[in-house]
């Protein structure tokens, strides 16, 4: 697949590196290509010559699957910059969490309970097929789940478009995920985004981000 | 221990039955003893003659450990009826979730993000040692976790009083829990209460309440 990864943080780099390794044609989309080339991502980009770098609209336009790997607070602006026409008809894998760090740690959620970031994105881009997933575990485990307990833990997908969820599920399985649970429509993303407060406390308690939830049933 | 269980619903009956079976001296506290004796709980009470029934203040007064097994919306009124002096110094195991069903299913949470029901209870009863636990799984599994995957799943405790958490943890282990994770102070209950939206969607998806989360690490 032609994949655009929006965001140059740890999640964006993990997804871009792994999908390129799996043979996909991958471009990272960013606001300022020159700044990223000259910045702290330089070494990573040099180590991953197979991953392209482009502006947000260029990356989105060329892709079949777009990954939202931006911060939650930057997601709507980044997607708006990518451009609704460039996102129309595409599958958008939304990994962002609406964390608000303005009052320090632990962060709160800026949207929750009766709404979610995923639903906000879907309302703003009605022609895009939004699938929420991977937002409940750390970047390293998103793309290489088998490094922990041979992959014996769970990941969730939420979305209104069954085919889009199948495409994302196949990608997750190719990463090594063994238990992909389809929660239902996109409103179920409220549940996975609202898992973050527990995730963050466990992160503090376990002193490591290499953990995940398994739904034992 | 002398245990008071406030609430006659499925959680209250499960906790009362199990703790009595384990040899504790158990009294269920309720608003209207006569109504409960004459109501749908009659058969259960007849099957559990070892479990006492008393008013909320009587039950709380006689107990060392008080269990809040009321509905989230009824918790503060029930505890107020039990009486702050009767709860002072006691360990209060709070199992309630602040679910708001006024807009139908799925319910929303009436307190979250920057606060929790557990913290509200603690603020209202500062002399009581509130421990949040067991609110992340169904009643049957709370008291008999080994019926699922030989108990290989997790449960959490949150609270400001280390000794109170130890007392609750020992009780959980006596129920059969194998992985009791101390998340930290009572504000960490926000995380477990906010797990409910995901729990409810999984319940719908799995078509069974006999599931639980395991923290794989």
């Amino acid at each position: 697949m032609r994949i655009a990864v929006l965001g140059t943080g740890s999640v964006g780099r993990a997804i871009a590196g792994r999908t390129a390794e799996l043979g996909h044609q991958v471009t990272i989309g960013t606001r300022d290509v020159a700044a990223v080339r000259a910045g702290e991502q330089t070494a990573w980009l040099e180590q991953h010559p197979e991953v392209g770098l482009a502006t947000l609209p260029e990356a989105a336009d060329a892709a079949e699957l777009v990954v939202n790997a931006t911060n939650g607070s930057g997601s709507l602006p980044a997607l708006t910059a990518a451009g609704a026409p460039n996102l129309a008809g595409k599958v958008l894998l939304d990994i962002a969490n609406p964390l608000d760090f303005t009052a320090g740690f632990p962060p709160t959620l800026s949207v929750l309970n009766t709404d979610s970031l995923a639903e906000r994105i879907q309302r703003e881009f009605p022609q895009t097929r939004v699938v929420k997933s991977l937002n409940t575990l750390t970047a390293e485990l998103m793309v290489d789940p088998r490094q922990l307990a041979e992959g014996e833990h769970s990941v969730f997908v939420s979305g209104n478009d069954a085919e889009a969820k199948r495409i994302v599920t196949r990608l997750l399985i190719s990463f090594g995920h063994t238990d992909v649970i389809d929660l239902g429509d996109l409103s179920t993303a409220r549940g996975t985004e609202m898992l973050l407060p527990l995730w963050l406390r466990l992160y503090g308690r376990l002193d490591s981000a290499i953990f995940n939830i398994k739904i034992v049933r």
Side-chain angles (χ1 to χ4, degrees), chain A:
Chain A
M1 277 192 293
R2 294 189 307 279
I3 297 178
V5 178
L6 312 186
T8 58
S10 59
V11 173
R13 294 195 305 272
I15 300 283
R18 180 71 159 136
T19 50
E21 181 184 279
L22 291 169
H24 298 286
Q25 193 180 318
V26 183
T27 302
I28 290 182
T30 186
R31 266 175 201 290
D32 188 336
V33 172
V36 171
R37 283 216 185 281
E40 58 186 26
Q41 259 65 272
T42 312
W44 189 90
L45 288 166
E46 283 172 359
Q47 285 156 22
H48 296 81
E50 72 286 9
V51 174
L53 190 64
T55 65
L56 293 166
E58 285 166 356
D61 179 43
E64 298 158 277
L65 174 81
V66 179
V67 180
N68 176 29
T70 66
N71 289 329
S73 58
S75 292
L76 283 169
L79 292 164
T80 300
N86 296 325
L87 295 168
K90 310 283 173 73
V91 176
L92 177 68
L93 166 54
D94 171 34
I95 309 180
N97 282 306
L99 298 176
D100 177 357
F101 286 90
T102 53
F105 193 90
T108 55
L109 296 177
S110 61
V111 49
L112 75 168
N113 212 17
T114 56
D115 200 3
S116 61
L117 178 60
E119 290 166 278
R120 282 196 179 176
I121 292 170
Q122 184 64 84
R123 286 199 302 276
E124 194 74 18
F125 301 93
Q127 304 304 312
T128 301
R129 300 183 288 162
V130 179
V131 178
K132 188 93 197 187
S133 191
L134 293 180
N135 60 308
T136 55
L137 67 178
T138 200
E140 273 186 72
L141 286 180
M142 289 180 193
V143 298
D144 182 15
R146 306 241 174 165
Q147 72 183 270
L148 173 67
E150 294 170 349
E152 285 296 312
H153 38 88
S154 309
V155 72
F156 309 98
V157 291
S158 303
N160 300 334
D161 184 302
E163 176 59 17
K165 283 194 284 194
R166 276 193 291 272
I167 291 168
V168 168
T169 298
R170 279 197 296 268
L171 187 69
L172 300 181
I173 291 170
S174 76
F175 290 169
H177 287 282
T178 61
D179 185 29
V180 183
I181 300 177
D182 181 351
L183 288 174
D185 70 29
L186 200 59
S187 73
T188 63
R190 297 172 197 174
T192 59
E193 293 181 7
M194 287 168 75
L195 191 61
L196 265 285
L198 178 61
W199 191 94
L200 288 158
R201 295 307 193 127
L202 283 165
Y203 176 44
R205 206 67 188 172
L206 301 174
D207 212 23
S208 163
I210 305 299
F211 68 89
N212 192 21
I213 275 178
K214 176 182 163 85
I215 304 301
V216 180
R217 70 259 196 207

